[in-house]
Amino acid sequence: MIPGIVFPAWPCAPRRAAFRVTALVLAGVSWCGSPPAGPPGIPAPALARQKAFRIAAASYEVPERLLLAVSYLESRWDAHRGVPSVTGGYGPMHLTDARTALRGGPPAPSEPARQRVDEAARLTGLPGGRLIGDPDANVLGGAALLASYQRELGLPPSEDPAGWYGAVARYAGTDAGPCFADEVFAVLRTGAARVTDDGQRVTLPPSPSPAPPDPPERVWFRHDTDGPDGEGRKVECPRGIACEWLPAPYRKLAGGKYGNHDLAERPRDQGIDYIVIHDTEATYAQTLKMVADPAYVSWHYTIRSADGHIAQHVRTKDVAWHSGNWYVNARSIGIEHEGFLAKAGAWYTEAMYRSSARLVRYLAKRFDIPLDRAHILGHDNVPGTVPSAVSGMHVDPGPYWDWAHYFALLGRPFKATGGRDGGLVTIRTDYPRHRPRYTGCGETGRDCPPHGSASVRLYIAPSADAPLVRDIGRKPAGEPTYDVYDHGARATTGQQFAVAGRRGDWTAIWYLGQVAWFHNPAGRPTAVGAEGFVVTPRRGADVIPVYGRAYPEPGAYPKGVPVQDVLPLQYAFPHGQRYAVGLATRGEYYHAVTPDPGDHRIVRGRAVYFQIQFGHRVAFVKAADVRVLRSGATPAR
């Protein structure tokens, strides 16, 4: 209850949900028509999001901090401009409407939880359009739903959040409800605070919340499941997370082909250096159909938007076909996330971010993968293997994936590691407030709705009126654009670049063999200082090649394994420029062209490569072509 506020009877309100007239005016919420008018000549003030949670919680006798935690896991308290998530969820409480879900077809009859807007409308008396478009009403609807689920379980409206565990699990609307509830209680323990996408500051203080009960109806997905051949398989997921085995087929096809992955023995036969983050550009159901097609490609995991549920398709020891770069495929794990790069503002849910982060932490610890942006790549950071492949490389998860938040969940937030003279910068935008212009989310050429972004725009001079830098691989002809799918003039949060200059509020970096400027004002910085190792061309070299894969030298290939050409990409790395080093590796090639693992070969060379942050994508240079320096050092002539 709210101290000092009396709740008299209100004839049209649900049980225990009546407000004093002044509270209704403040909230701007109408349960019986229009809100009561304020004093003459004085408009009713807007209600801050924090107050909306307080009033909604008091009206339905839901613990306020529990309501805040549920909403945080659903949306991080954002309004999302009234546009739906991929599963048709709206507003801070993610009230779902199956009629607008991006599923490519009508909802299944077995999905009543996807129609929460109608249920909330029945409970509150508010029209569905108001629940969708008004964030304050949306919060009220979410509170009404939680209270309803608590009553259906035959439980009293306890002030202790632990007493609401079953209602929270039901709020997820899926069979992964217990995992959703566990994450809600994790948020209660850690607390949270942020400014939302519509400028509202919301705070949930941390609290030593008691462990919730383990209800008898709680069911976990089994971690010991059977593979298609009847062999016992363990789903490779952290405990306490909903995860199931839905295998990708390994099958011979016509014409000597096979699909859709390769059997291997990683990390025993070759190391795993990368985890690649994808979005599906399809619904969860459509994605599962694709990965079940033996003639299609594959990936290791898919994560569902609604609740963070994980399906594993390929064992981590095996090589999935997911990144468009065979060298990266052989040394990576691919994770698909249900969502769209730009479609209609279909946003990534907090439940999916948190589930993904738990999975990545588990995999990184198991395979000793560093948690940084040189090893945790977006699909849009994977390089083309040869010049002809560069323009067709995928661009997901795109500028709307919140890398700063994701790495905070990984326990590796991006922080300054050097001063102004450190020689490097780490891109780090203020995601909710950083809203650069993009086009192409709907009609070609039209501006996308304003939206937080993890990327900065890059220009050839320190001015927003200057032309964008060119990516000759991405667009061999034509000018760069502001299209959301055109990342050739963008740098993204977590990526590190060598500083090439500064002028006022602008910082220059070396990028794709050229100088690129981005806006980096002191009052609202888009990057932080860093220091580390960089490479520069060896003495006497005017320009050196860069590569899209780190393959062995010709002499390393045994008889029967065709030599793979090490073709440089169409870019140049000129004398005097520097690029941040991500990792060092010896050349390696995984030869697998038949379905018989006995025919597979791993070729290891002597040549050493450095992976560098060359543009939006990483690239490789040969160690013999470069010198390694501390980023702030002045090279000797």
Side-chain angles (χ1 to χ4, degrees), residues 228-274:
D229 53 5
E231 175 190 347
R233 300 275 177 85
K234 279 187 177 293
V235 176
E236 298 166 285
C237 290
R239 288 286 175 180
I241 198 167
C243 189
E244 62 180 329
W245 174 252
L246 296 175
Y250 187 72
R251 192 175 304 162
K252 293 182 181 180
L253 305 173
K257 297 182 179 181
Y258 66 101
N260 57 14
H261 59 281
D262 281 290
L263 303 183
E265 290 296 334
R266 304 183 310 172
R268 188 175 69 187
D269 55 3
Q270 55 186 334
I272 299 176
D273 291 331
Y274 307 105

Side-chain angles (χ1 to χ4, degrees), residues 395-480:
V395 296
D396 59 292
Y400 299 143
W401 181 267
D402 191 346
W403 286 106
H405 178 56
Y406 192 59
F407 267 76
L409 292 173
L410 291 174
R412 293 291 190 275
F414 300 121
K415 298 179 180 179
T417 59
R420 187 176 177 85
D421 298 326
L424 293 174
V425 289
T426 302
I427 305 299
R428 190 186 71 181
T429 70
D430 182 354
Y431 182 92
R433 299 181 184 181
H434 180 68
R435 300 181 180 188
R437 178 195 176 204
Y438 295 107
T439 62
C441 291
E443 294 182 26
T444 302
R446 290 193 62 179
D447 282 7
C448 299
H451 197 289
S453 173
S455 296
V456 295
R457 190 89 60 198
L458 301 174
Y459 303 87
I460 66 171
S463 168
D465 295 326
L468 299 172
V469 298
R470 291 194 62 188
D471 181 345
I472 61 172
R474 179 76 183 159
K475 279 197 166 187
E479 296 299 317

Side-chain angles (χ1 to χ4, degrees), residues 16 40 46 63 82 93 102 162 172 208 217 302 312 317 325 344 347 371 411 414-415 450 504 568 632 634-635:
R16 303 287 297 173
M93 295 302 298
L102 299 172
E217 68 271 14
T302 302
Q312 183 177 2
K317 71 176 185 176
N325 182 314
W347 34 279
L371 291 172
F414 300 121
K415 298 179 180 179
T634 301

Side-chain angles (χ1 to χ4, degrees), residues 472-523:
I472 61 172
R474 179 76 183 159
K475 279 197 166 187
E479 296 299 317
T481 70
Y482 290 90
D483 191 273
V484 70
Y485 296 98
D486 185 357
H487 66 253
R490 296 204 297 255
T492 297
T493 290
Q495 294 178 331
Q496 288 191 335
F497 296 90
V499 175
R502 299 181 192 273
R503 189 178 303 172
D505 287 340
W506 291 78
T507 299
I509 57 175
W510 300 115
Y511 185 92
L512 294 177
Q514 54 198 311
V515 176
W517 293 86
F518 67 97
H519 195 225
N520 186 25

Side-chain angles (χ1 to χ4, degrees), residues 62-435:
V62 178
E64 181 183 346
R65 55 197 175 108
L66 180 75
L67 186 63
L68 283 162
V70 170
S71 177
Y72 186 85
L73 194 64
E74 290 282 18
S75 69
R76 295 173 70 202
W77 306 319
D78 283 340
H80 291 286
R81 309 180 318 279
V83 298
S85 71
V86 66
T87 52
Y90 290 88
M93 295 302 298
H94 199 235
L95 300 183
T96 47
D97 184 352
R99 293 163 294 209
T100 59
L102 299 172
R103 61 180 59 256
S110 60
E111 296 181 305
R114 295 196 183 278
Q115 210 52 47
R116 284 198 296 219
V117 166
D118 292 351
E119 188 179 357
R122 177 181 59 81
L123 292 168
T124 63
L126 291 169
R130 185 89 181 260
L131 291 165
I132 285 173
D134 181 343
D136 295 348
N138 187 275
V139 171
L140 197 71
L145 286 169
L146 277 170
S148 173
Y149 299 155
Q150 185 80 342
R151 290 195 300 272
E152 290 172 5
L153 292 170
L155 299 173
S158 168
E159 295 183 4
D160 181 2
W164 291 76
Y165 185 90
V168 172
R170 185 170 294 187
Y171 194 91
T174 70
D175 46 15
C179 296
F180 176 87
D182 286 346
E183 289 290 352
V184 167
F185 279 83
V187 171
L188 280 169
R189 289 189 292 273
T190 61
R194 68 186 297 266
V195 176
T196 67
D197 61 355
D198 55 347
Q200 301 281 344
R201 178 169 291 281
V202 185
T203 302
L204 171 62
S207 60
S209 179
D214 196 6
E217 68 271 14
R218 179 172 180 168
V219 178
W220 291 107
F221 281 88
R222 294 181 57 203
H223 281 247
D224 296 308
T225 59
D226 289 332
D229 53 5
E231 175 190 347
R233 300 275 177 85
K234 279 187 177 293
V235 176
E236 298 166 285
C237 290
R239 288 286 175 180
I241 198 167
C243 189
E244 62 180 329
W245 174 252
L246 296 175
Y250 187 72
R251 192 175 304 162
K252 293 182 181 180
L253 305 173
K257 297 182 179 181
Y258 66 101
N260 57 14
H261 59 281
D262 281 290
L263 303 183
E265 290 296 334
R266 304 183 310 172
R268 188 175 69 187
D269 55 3
Q270 55 186 334
I272 299 176
D273 291 331
Y274 307 105
I275 297 173
V276 181
I277 303 299
H278 305 252
D279 77 38
T280 60
E281 295 298 310
T283 67
Y284 185 74
Q286 291 167 339
T287 302
L288 297 188
K289 289 180 181 178
M290 287 187 285
V291 80
D293 181 354
Y296 195 60
V297 296
S298 62
W299 47 94
H300 292 88
Y301 299 90
T302 302
I303 304 183
R304 190 164 63 195
S305 174
D307 54 8
H309 174 76
I310 299 172
Q312 183 177 2
H313 314 296
V314 177
R315 291 175 294 178
T316 57
K317 71 176 185 176
D318 296 332
V319 176
W321 304 348
H322 63 95
S323 78
N325 182 314
W326 183 243
Y327 174 81
V328 173
N329 280 353
R331 305 185 66 84
S332 70
I333 294 169
I335 305 176
E336 290 277 2
H337 298 77
E338 183 187 16
F340 296 85
L341 189 158
K343 185 183 237 182
W347 34 279
Y348 304 110
T349 64
E350 178 66 7
M352 185 167 67
Y353 273 128
R354 294 174 75 93
S355 182
S356 177
R358 290 185 64 184
L359 176 63
V360 169
R361 287 199 309 267
Y362 162 81
L363 295 171
K365 181 177 181 180
R366 181 178 172 191
F367 297 110
D368 196 25
I369 301 171
L371 291 172
D372 59 40
R373 290 287 274 116
H375 297 81
I376 311 300
L377 303 175
H379 198 180
D380 53 355
N381 307 136
V382 176
T385 52
V386 294
S388 61
V390 172
S391 63
M393 294 298 290
H394 285 215
V395 296
D396 59 292
Y400 299 143
W401 181 267
D402 191 346
W403 286 106
H405 178 56
Y406 192 59
F407 267 76
L409 292 173
L410 291 174
R412 293 291 190 275
F414 300 121
K415 298 179 180 179
T417 59
R420 187 176 177 85
D421 298 326
L424 293 174
V425 289
T426 302
I427 305 299
R428 190 186 71 181
T429 70
D430 182 354
Y431 182 92
R433 299 181 184 181
H434 180 68
R435 300 181 180 188

